[in-house]
Amino acid sequence: MKETWNKIFDYKTDGNLIVLSTYKELEKEDNKNRISFRYYRYVSIILWLIIFSLIALVVLKKQSPLIDIVYVDNGNNDINSDKVVSCYYNTPANDDVSQLLPSNINPHLCTHINVAFAQVKNKQIYLTELQIKTIADVLQIKNKNPNLKVLLSVGGAGNNEGFSDMVVNHIARKEFIKSIKYTLRNYSLDGIDLDWEFPALHQYSRDAGKRERQHFSQLLREIRMEYIREKKNYMLTVALAAPQIIVDVAYDVDQINLYVDYANIMTYDFHYYTQYTPFTGLNSPLYARNSEYFYMGTLNINYTIQMYLSKGLNESKIVVGIPTYGHSFTLVNEDNAGIGSPASGYGHVGSSGFVSYPEVCNFLKVNSNVSIVEEKNARVSYLHKQSEWISFDSPQSVTSKAEYIKKLKLRGAMIYALNSDDYKGLCGKILFSNVSYNFPLSASIRNIILT
């Protein structure tokens, strides 16, 4: 009973005196204890928050290297250094000697050769036996030019099917990146070129499709980070669309600028026959014609390059596409043969409207009185006879484009493709020029860009 009483009234002894604590003193003591408890509790919470934050940072760092921001700097302060002449080489259908074979490619014509096109299947790079053999044959060219870079181009027109499933999440992208590393290592390649035509464009009605633009940026970043993690000096390039209506949907240009070595801008196919565009037009004009306004005024090289620059693609990342082929049309009315004239279909020359440079020369060789018109504003030409109408590039037009590239201090030129240039030297002195050697278009471009 005495102990209970002492606890309630808090008896204290002071010598022979017994001191009785008042309720106020007890309350004051209790408040001190409460303040101390709160203080230690807050300190403990802060310490635990710091610990958990550090643990989270470590886990995120291990799981996703994407939190790092990397800018691939080409160090292109000297406008004549590290210039690019990137040449696409399409895998021949077979060993027919009439086709361009790797052994017939001038080893010093290009700085980079893109072997085209591998596919994406089951989230991995897929190569046929013929493509594997072609890669090995192209690599033999490096024996004569050790500075040549050989890349594998993945995708291309009509080969976009596997990309959507591959980029959909981190796990799928990781599997694709694993196949990139395997392919580059096993076939001794210098890098990969991604030619997806085009992110988000075909799947935009689906929620996943709308995110393809973001997923493509994530893919580029993850590939670059994997190169860095493994301390590999592999190249990463992309082929990008030219029309702004595609660019605005498909690409985060600022992200592409961060992670690629350079971008091959596909500044061609601005005009070709379709049921929706049944009229003649220039394949790859350098500038708009005086009569072209609004949307039609955007379909040229100059507008495309200025648009990419305004979106944040650095000059050192821009490689301008120059075609070695043209497009043919069949005129509705032979007497109405200007640009924008009604057409009823592809021309008879070429395949599905695609006309190689030797086919243009052959048309001139076997036909007389062919009308050739040089469009002075667009800096390209077209020809016509009867119902046949062909837009094409010549040594003069590709020289103008190469000079444009050099004037703007861009990274270089992309040639599509070596296969459709005059690799046998058949054109001779037929067209505009005294050029009589093999690959007249590609060589004209190279002579400007690399000198």
Side-chain angles (χ1 to χ4, degrees), residues 226-421:
E226 189 64 17
Y227 285 178
I228 292 171
R229 189 186 71 81
E230 293 205 342
K231 296 180 172 62
K232 297 293 186 181
N233 198 29
Y234 291 136
M235 296 188 66
L236 173 61
T237 65
V238 290
L240 301 181
Q244 186 170 357
I245 57 172
I246 298 177
V247 175
D248 289 344
V249 171
Y251 309 126
D252 293 314
V253 177
D254 59 334
Q255 295 296 301
I256 292 171
N257 188 66
L258 285 175
Y259 301 113
V260 303
D261 289 277
Y262 57 80
N264 298 301
I265 314 297
M266 295 183 284
T267 41
Y268 39 74
D269 295 337
F270 285 114
H271 300 279
Y272 56 94
Y273 177 83
T274 71
Q275 60 177 329
Y276 306 107
T277 55
F279 47 84
T280 61
L282 301 172
N283 179 30
S284 180
L286 181 53
Y287 296 103
R289 295 181 297 123
N290 290 339
S291 59
E292 290 178 322
Y293 301 99
F294 305 113
Y295 175 69
M296 299 302 288
T298 71
L299 301 179
N300 58 79
I301 292 174
N302 180 59
Y303 181 91
T304 300
I305 299 308
Q306 298 302 326
M307 178 262 297
Y308 269 108
L309 288 170
S310 71
K311 288 179 177 289
L313 192 59
N314 191 273
E315 291 91 340
S316 67
K317 301 293 181 83
I318 295 178
V319 176
V320 180
I322 303 177
T324 56
Y325 67 92
H327 284 294
S328 66
F329 303 78
T330 296
L331 293 170
V332 171
N333 181 355
E334 297 176 13
D335 296 324
N336 183 9
I339 297 171
S341 298
S344 60
Y346 304 128
H348 298 292
V349 179
S351 175
S352 299
F354 286 86
V355 183
S356 69
Y357 186 58
E359 287 175 317
V360 173
C361 295
N362 186 63
F363 184 81
L364 291 168
K365 190 178 291 186
V366 300
N367 289 281
S368 58
N369 299 319
V370 177
S371 298
I372 301 175
V373 181
E374 185 177 0
E375 223 302 324
K376 297 198 179 294
N377 294 120
R379 308 283 179 87
V380 288
S381 302
Y382 65 92
L383 61 80
H384 61 91
K385 181 177 182 180
Q386 296 176 345
S387 63
E388 196 73 18
W389 198 101
I390 303 172
S391 166
F392 66 97
D393 269 278
S394 66
Q396 283 72 18
S397 68
V398 300
T399 296
S400 294
K401 294 172 183 180
E403 289 171 345
Y404 171 88
I405 293 167
K406 202 161 187 178
K407 180 180 177 182
L408 268 63
K409 301 180 182 179
L410 306 177
R411 186 70 180 278
M414 175 265 281
I415 297 169
Y416 191 86
L418 292 176
N419 311 65
S420 50
D421 200 350

Side-chain angles (χ1 to χ4, degrees), residues 190-206:
D190 295 299
I192 203 82
D193 173 64
L194 298 180
D195 183 4
W196 182 4
E197 300 184 17
F198 300 97
L201 194 67
H202 302 288
Q203 304 286 337
Y204 198 75
S205 59
R206 297 169 52 228

Side-chain angles (χ1 to χ4, degrees), residues 23-167:
Y23 279 109
K24 286 186 177 180
E25 288 175 334
L26 290 172
E27 188 177 357
K28 189 183 295 183
E29 187 69 24
D30 186 53
N31 287 339
K32 286 182 180 179
N33 292 335
R34 287 180 180 177
I35 291 170
S36 297
F37 176 75
R38 287 175 183 170
Y39 172 77
Y40 289 117
R41 184 175 66 178
Y42 292 150
V43 170
S44 176
I45 291 171
I46 291 169
L47 287 173
W48 278 112
L49 285 173
I50 292 171
I51 291 169
F52 281 128
S53 297
L54 290 173
I55 292 171
L57 283 173
V58 171
V59 171
L60 286 172
K61 184 73 174 177
K62 287 183 177 180
Q63 288 184 347
S64 177
L66 305 186
I67 59 174
D68 291 330
I69 294 179
V70 175
Y71 175 66
V72 181
D73 187 359
N74 295 315
N76 199 32
N77 296 324
D78 178 0
I79 64 171
N80 291 317
S81 68
D82 201 24
K83 287 298 183 182
V84 167
V85 177
S86 173
C87 304
Y88 279 82
Y89 173 65
N90 292 315
T91 303
N94 50 53
D95 288 331
D96 184 349
V97 293
S98 66
Q99 298 183 79
L100 175 62
L101 301 178
S103 58
N104 295 324
I105 297 175
N106 181 338
H108 298 282
L109 185 63
C110 313
T111 61
H112 301 69
I113 294 179
N114 294 344
V115 181
F117 286 101
Q119 293 178 278
V120 179
K121 289 188 176 182
N122 299 320
K123 305 176 183 67
Q124 296 181 344
I125 292 175
Y126 174 78
L127 290 166
T128 65
E129 290 297 323
L130 180 57
Q131 287 174 324
I132 293 171
K133 179 182 182 302
T134 301
I135 290 170
D137 291 342
V138 172
L139 286 169
Q140 293 300 311
I141 303 173
K142 297 181 76 169
N143 294 332
K144 298 179 181 179
N145 180 8
N147 294 324
L148 177 68
K149 303 294 183 184
V150 178
L151 292 80
L152 176 64
S153 188
V154 182
N159 286 332
N160 62 295
E161 292 297 326
F163 280 93
S164 294
D165 292 336
M166 179 268 291
V167 300

